[in-house]
Amino acid sequence: MRHVLVTGGSGLVGKAIVYRLLAAICRVTVVSRRALSIEHPRLEWQAGDLAAETDTLWNALPQVDDVVHAAATITDAGDPAALAALRNPTSKPAL
C-alpha cells in the first residue's frame, strides 16, 4: 500500500485529492493548518504551517512514498461566483 503525504489536504482541492487517494487504497498523511473534517482508518492529520514550520514537512517525508503539494496561501478569495461554482460541481460557470 502506498503512503502519500498531501500538503493542504483540508482545503478545497486537497480534500478532493485525499478522497481519491483513500478510494485508491492508499494510506494518507495530511499536513495542513486546519484540522480535517473527515476520519478514516488510513488517514492521519499532522498540524503544520508549511510557510512557517518547514520541519513539519521534512519530518513527515521519510515515512511516505509520494508527495502531493496542494497547499497554498490565499490572499484574495477572488470572484464569489467562481468559488461557488468550484464548490458545486453540477453548476456551470458563466462565460
Side-chain angles (χ1 to χ4, degrees):
M1 177 184 321
R2 299 213 52 93
H3 185 183
V4 182
L5 172 72
V6 179
T7 66
S10 63
L12 181 68
V13 174
K15 194 183 303 183
I17 293 168
V18 168
Y19 281 123
R20 294 274 178 125
L21 289 169
L22 290 171
I25 317 298
C26 291
R27 190 169 144 221
V28 181
T29 297
V30 171
V31 175
S32 64
R33 292 181 300 241
R34 289 186 320 218
L36 298 175
S37 59
I38 59 172
E39 291 186 20
H40 193 280
R42 293 189 318 272
L43 180 61
E44 177 186 341
W45 174 63
Q46 187 171 352
D49 183 345
L50 300 178
E53 305 167 21
T54 54
D55 288 343
T56 301
L57 177 61
W58 296 118
N59 289 335
L61 283 177
Q63 306 169 30
V64 301
D65 300 303
D66 303 292
V67 175
V68 177
H69 180 48
T73 300
I74 299 175
T75 57
D76 180 10
D79 177 18
L83 185 59
L86 281 173
R87 290 190 173 141
N88 182 2
T90 60
S91 69
K92 295 183 180 175
L95 298 175

